[in-house]
RNA sequence: GCUCGGAUGGUGGAAUCGGUAGACACGAGGGACUUAAAAUCCCUUGGCCAUUGCGGCUGUGUGGGUUCAAGUCCCACUCCGAGUACCA
């Protein structure tokens, strides 16, 4: 009987299903462990061989933890709202729900074939009303909250309303984007609509006029993480900056906590670093610069307060509100022309051009320390959205100011001794200050760092500014002009003000529309829905929520997926708490992984969840790239030349389907059948074979390099696929998929099978294992246990192979040895392990078998060989009986002093004892 | 530009604390079995030299340094990858 993976895998997949092997429930008698994969978006293309990499890694960990006695939660679901289904719907008229449903079915079939231990009873789909009810619910909680900066947490907006009625906005400790202050009388005198509008500046989910990334091609706004270099990540279309009224989430209020709490979680340094950069902590000072001939003052932000003596001009962002206040009549025409020019440039054009541009406003400001008058300019190198949208320019020590000063021929005053500023600015925060003293402030002779501190102190005392922390992190834009997303549980009252639906009206279900396009009047697709009104007849919001809405709290829903009273019950949340191990790609570093942490912290503030961070440990699996194959057609012929002979001909490389190439050898018959135009192809072969060329590219249909896991499973079995994906290299590393090595792991499984069965006869017996066999298996137990904890799965697979070779060569037939082997192998190759488990006559399933523990006694060497070095040079080898390594070596080294004299005629000066069987004697 | 990774045979990759570099696998070469092929098994496989013996030299991107000992630590550089980018 050969290793019949088809039969085995079918049999046990059915068994696990019939016996609910992977179903989990709260069990207070056992410690919990929560292993989670980033759930997939079910695309029409199905899974390729790269997708399961992370799923296999987490599956191994989940199975291992279960065998170590943990109650393991390991769920799976679908991030089912999204753009591709909607675009497909626009093209075909097919409802996104139908295509999504179809794709999910296909994903499930593919996943099932690989033998994952998911508890499918807990499956979630973000597009199901019973799921998005809780997305909508969370949004409403955010709408009804503000961020209290004194308590550093979210609080009910009603508390703020009460405060305004008593004290106005002064000292209200609320995170806000409001510029205006108001008194209690003013507040109380406002109409309901005015109050509602004012509160929008404080709510955590708010409707605000913000600069958004507008993508005309997609007809929707995008969040910052959905845009890269002025191009939309989905689709690759240009994106413009535009002010629009959009729903936003006050993520920026949480910037400090999002940054601080990174210290409490076990994520890779690189992804923490990415988040740190994205949040962008920057400590500096805000300073006021009076404007000549005006009561207005310019408020600027700087991290280099020390350079105040080198300020030779000021710059405002074109969108800054100060612009109107400083532009003079004689500069009006020039300024308007410039603003117009800037407005019509897209983000992309600005980034590409990168040339210095700007215009003089006509006004001057007064340097509050030197008293000098300096011109105020307007330029698009200053961003409206960061700091105050205005800067003090110090051309000697900032490269952008330097470029601007050179372009407009403005003075440059060096402030650091020895800095050469003839060609470029000196930006480093390092050196001794000069040109920086007067009767008010003396910085000359100080180090830059001391000067920064001294200046900050001075400006606070002199009342011209204050120390301030700025974050780069912006509020998340939360509305999309799309159909296939969560509707907002918001209607508009007679004043046009947004109002909450009642919790009892949730979920607000996505309505039917005749077309999935914007309306003729340019409203979002929901504008087409009939009767899209709340229970009171008022119109409902037409936008839908973005993709990250549904994925922000899904890990909580898995804890209690069928609860219709709460997102998650207190009981379930307090048992499962947080995700202990989260596996997914790095591409979500500044999107999902920020939003999820924000969402979780918001829920934490109200006690809906008991952990401040959602994902304790994060492992980023690498991307699997494609390995394309090429054939080389001789120009103007239908003749193809083998790879190593192509240099003699003028050829065109053509992508060839990697599925008809094996170890770079082309299957010529399959090639002829592949495309009609190749049916009569001729070949120039080497050694009777056609060798293809290859290249590493993205895995995609157009490159014909997509490898489908189903095909691998059909050919080699799921266990081979699982082992091979792990064997390819470290889970975290990106690597090309190369089917070439898969025979090696497949051979390993066949060899293992061959040790158990000869023909149909089971070879194993109840036999006391030899010391040799015990050593081999305990070495494996130690290695695999340690490897799994560290995600070094590739070296584990190597260890399995070594062990099988050892057991084979020592002809070990002891059941107890194989029993341990099978348990160790089961997380990696669950099907064959389950089969052998039963062959060995064990009860239950291998999933519940206890993970074996290694015994150091068995691992000891009976004889240890030592190399003795003199002055680092090996002189002789000796063997001694095993003992405690350190002690033995000490005595050994000293007892060989005679030998040292004998060799060198000298006494050893010192004897260095180091691990790994080397003794070094220094004479 | 800034930040963070990385560079080891023909290939993917091992080397846990600085301690015999190249585990394991692929590929390649040779052999056994076979009428033949596939499958399977055995041997060789970093490079150079020697191979009627042992063996010798060299070798982890480049150049220095620390150390009895460096792929690993330090300094400088080259190249590659990722993130981010007029963030004041």
């Amino acid at each position: 009987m050969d290793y019949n993976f088809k039969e085995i895998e079918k049999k046990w997949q059915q068994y696990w299903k019939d016996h609910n092997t992977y179903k989990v429930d709260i069990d207070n008698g056992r410690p919990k462990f929560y292993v989670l994969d980033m759930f997939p978006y079910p695309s029409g293309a199905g899974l390729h061989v790269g997708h399961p990499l992370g799923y296999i890694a987490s599956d191994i960990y989940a199975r291992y933890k279960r065998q170590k006695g943990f109650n393991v939660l390991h769920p799976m679901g679908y991030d089912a709202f999204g753009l591709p289904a909607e675009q497909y719907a626009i093209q075909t008229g097919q409802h996104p729900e139908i295509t999504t449903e179809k794709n999910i079915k296909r994903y499930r079939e593919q996943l099932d074939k690989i033998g994952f231990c998911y508890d499918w009873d807990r499956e979630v789909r973000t597009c199901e009303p019973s799921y998005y009810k809780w997305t909508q619910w969370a949004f409403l909680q955010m709408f009804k909250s503000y961020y209290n900066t004194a308590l550093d947490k979210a609080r009910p907006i009603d508390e703020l309303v009460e405060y305004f009625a008593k004290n106005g906005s002064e000292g209200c400790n609320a995170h806000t984007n409001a510029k205006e202050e108001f008194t209690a009388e003013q507040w109380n005198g406002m109409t309901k609509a005015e109050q509602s509008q004012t509160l929008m500046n404080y709510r955590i989910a708010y409707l605000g006029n913000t600069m958004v990334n507008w993508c005309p091609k997609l007809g929707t706004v995008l969040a910052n993480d959905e845009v890269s270099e002025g191009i939309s990540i989905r689709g690759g279309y240009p994106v413009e900056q535009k002010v629009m009224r959009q729903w936003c989430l006050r993520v920026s209020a949480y910037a400090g906590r999002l940054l601080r709490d990174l210290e409490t979680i076990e994520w890779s340094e690189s992804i923490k670093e990415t988040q740190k950069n994205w949040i962008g902590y920057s400590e500096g000072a805000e300073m006021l610069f009076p404007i000549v001939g005006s009561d207005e003052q310019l408020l600027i932000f700087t991290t280099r307060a020390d350079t105040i003596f080198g300020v030779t001009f000021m710059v405002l962002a074109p969108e800054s509100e100060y612009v109107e206040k400083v532009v003079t009549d004689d500069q009006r025409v020039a300024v308007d022309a410039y603003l117009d020019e800037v407005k019509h440039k897209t983000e992309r054009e600005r980034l590409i051009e990168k040339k210095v541009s700007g215009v003089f406003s006509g006004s001057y400001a007064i340097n509050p320390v030197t008293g000098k008058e300096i011109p105020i300019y307007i330029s698009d190198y200053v961003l409206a959205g960061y700091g105050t949208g205005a800067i003090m320019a110090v051309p000697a020590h900032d490269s952008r100011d330097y470029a601007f000063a050179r372009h407009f021929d403005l003075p440059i005053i060096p402030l650091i001794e020895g800095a050469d500023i003839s060609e470029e600015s000196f930006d480093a925060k390092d050196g001794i200050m000069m040109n920086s003293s007067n009767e008010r402030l003396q910085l000359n002779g100080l180090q830059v760092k001391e000067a920064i501190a001294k200046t900050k102190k001075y400006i606070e005392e002199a009342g011209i500014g204050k120390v301030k922390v700025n974050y780069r992190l912006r509020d998340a834009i939360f509305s999309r002009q799309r159909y296939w997303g969560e509707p907002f549980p918001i209607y508009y009252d007679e004043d046009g003000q947004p109002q909450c639906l009642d919790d009892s009206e949730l979920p607000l279900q996505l309505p039917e529309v005749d077309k999935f396009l914007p309306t003729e009047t340019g409203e979002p697709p929901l504008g087409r829905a009939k009767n899209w009104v709340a229970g009171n007849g008022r119109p409902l919001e037409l936008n839908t929520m973005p993709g990250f809405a549904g994925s922000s709290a899904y890990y909580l829903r898995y804890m209690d997926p069928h609860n219709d009273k709460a997102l998650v019950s207190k009981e379930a949340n307090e048992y499962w708490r947080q995700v202990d191990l989260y596996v997914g790609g790095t591409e979500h570093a500044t999107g999902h992984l920020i939003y999820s942490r924000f969402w979780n912290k918001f829920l934490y503030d109200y006690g809906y969840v008991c952990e401040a961070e959602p994902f304790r440990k994060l492992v980023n699996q690498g991307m699997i790239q494609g390995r394309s194959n090429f054939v080389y057609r001789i120009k103007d012929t239908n003749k193809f030349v083998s790879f190593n002979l192509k240099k003699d001909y003028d050829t065109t490389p053509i992508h060839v389907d990697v599925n008809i190439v094996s170890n770079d050898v082309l299957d010529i018959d399959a090639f002829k059948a592949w495309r009609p135009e190749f049916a009569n192809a001729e070949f120039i072969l080497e050694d009777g074979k056609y060798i293809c060329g290859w290249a590493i590219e993205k895995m995609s249909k157009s490159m014909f390099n997509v490898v489908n896991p189903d095909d691998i499973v059909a050919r080699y079995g799921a266990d081979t696929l699982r082992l091979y994906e792990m064997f390819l290299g470290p889970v975290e590393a990106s690597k090309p998929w190369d089917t070439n090595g898969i025979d090696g792991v497949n051979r390993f499984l066949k060899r293992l099978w061959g040790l158990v069965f000869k023909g149909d006869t089971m070879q194993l017996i109840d036999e006391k294992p030899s010391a040799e066999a015990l050593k081999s298996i305990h070495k494996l137990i130690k290695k695999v246990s340690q490897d799994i904890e560290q995600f070094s799965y590739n070296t584990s697979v190597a260890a399995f192979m070594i062990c099988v070779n050892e057991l084979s060569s020592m002809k070990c037939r002891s059941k107890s040895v194989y029993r341990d082997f099978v348990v160790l192998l089961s997380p990696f190759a669950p099907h064959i392990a389950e089969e052998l488990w039963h062959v060995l006559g064990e009860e239950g399933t291998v999933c519940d078998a206890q993970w074996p523990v290694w015994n150091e006694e068995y691992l000891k060497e009976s004889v240890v060989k030592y190399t003795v070095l003199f002055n680092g040079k090996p002189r002789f080898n000796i063997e001694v009986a095993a003992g405690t390594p350190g002690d033995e070596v000490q005595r050994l080294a000293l007892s060989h002093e005679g030998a040292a004299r004998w060799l060198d005629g000298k006494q050893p000066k010192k004897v260095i004892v180091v691990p790994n069987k080397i003794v070094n004697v220094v004479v």
Side-chain angles (χ1 to χ4, degrees), chain A residues 335-390:
Chain A
V335 169
D336 283 350
Y338 181 68
L339 294 183
D340 200 50
E341 183 194 324
V342 169
K343 209 183 217 167
H344 288 96
K345 264 196 267 181
T346 66
E347 191 71 7
R348 181 102 188 123
E349 283 164 354
R350 264 184 54 181
L351 286 168
I352 287 170
E353 282 183 18
K354 236 181 183 171
K355 70 168 197 227
V356 178
S357 72
V359 66
F360 178 48
S361 69
S363 294
Y364 292 82
I366 298 167
N367 184 322
V369 175
T370 65
K372 273 191 201 140
E373 288 190 10
I374 44 178
I376 303 171
Y377 279 77
I378 297 156
S379 173
D380 64 357
Y381 84 86
V382 173
L383 304 177
Y386 184 75
T388 61

Side-chain angles (χ1 to χ4, degrees), chain A residues 755-809:
Chain A
L755 288 179
V756 180
F757 287 100
K758 224 174 221 119
D760 280 343
T761 325
M762 221 274 274
Q763 296 290 300
L764 306 183
I765 50 174
D766 288 313
E767 177 190 69
K768 199 162 165 276
S770 64
E772 220 187 353
L774 281 172
K775 187 175 161 187
S776 183
I777 191 73
H778 279 258
K779 209 166 69 188
L780 183 70
I781 297 170
K782 185 175 180 180
K783 175 81 180 142
V784 173
S785 305
Q786 292 176 347
D787 278 354
I788 293 181
E789 295 283 359
Q790 297 165 24
F791 299 93
S792 288
Y793 298 127
N794 55 334
T795 52
S796 284
V797 178
F800 281 119
M801 293 177 179
I802 295 167
C803 188
V804 156
N805 284 345
E806 285 174 356
L807 295 180
S808 168
S809 66

Side-chain angles (χ1 to χ4, degrees), chain A residues 459-477:
Chain A
I459 59 172
E460 290 214 316
E461 283 166 5
I464 54 175
K466 59 179 187 196
V467 172
K468 166 99 187 184
V469 168
N470 251 318
Y471 294 97
R472 206 185 69 108
L473 185 71
R474 308 293 165 77
D475 287 348
I477 295 157

Side-chain angles (χ1 to χ4, degrees), chain A residues 457-581:
Chain A
K457 196 160 165 256
Y458 170 76
I459 59 172
E460 290 214 316
E461 283 166 5
I464 54 175
K466 59 179 187 196
V467 172
K468 166 99 187 184
V469 168
N470 251 318
Y471 294 97
R472 206 185 69 108
L473 185 71
R474 308 293 165 77
D475 287 348
I477 295 157
F478 199 63
S479 36
R480 296 291 182 274
Q481 292 70 45
R482 296 226 197 100
Y483 174 73
W484 190 231
E486 299 87 348
F488 283 83
I490 291 287
Y491 68 90
Y492 289 88
D493 66 18
E494 38 291 320
D495 298 321
Q497 294 304 311
Q499 301 292 342
C500 294
L501 290 187
D502 193 80
D503 284 357
S504 65
E505 294 174 89
L506 302 185
L508 173 64
Q509 295 214 26
L510 191 62
E512 292 302 320
V513 292
D514 54 349
K515 267 197 245 171
F516 305 103
L517 288 168
T519 63
E520 281 66 29
T521 53
E523 287 185 314
L526 291 194
R528 295 177 177 276
K530 294 200 178 75
N531 285 325
W532 187 235
V533 291
N536 53 13
R538 300 299 314 170
L540 286 159
E541 170 68 54
L542 299 180
N543 285 295
T544 55
M545 297 187 194
F548 67 81
S551 59
S552 288
Y554 76 111
Y555 60 93
L556 292 170
R557 192 62 183 160
Y558 282 134
M559 297 176 183
D560 196 7
H562 308 297
N563 191 334
D564 61 358
K565 303 283 184 296
L567 167 63
V568 53
S569 72
K570 210 168 178 57
E571 189 203 2
N573 182 247
E574 283 179 354
Y575 182 73
W576 298 112
R577 306 192 72 82
Q578 67 183 153
V579 176
D580 295 290
L581 173 67

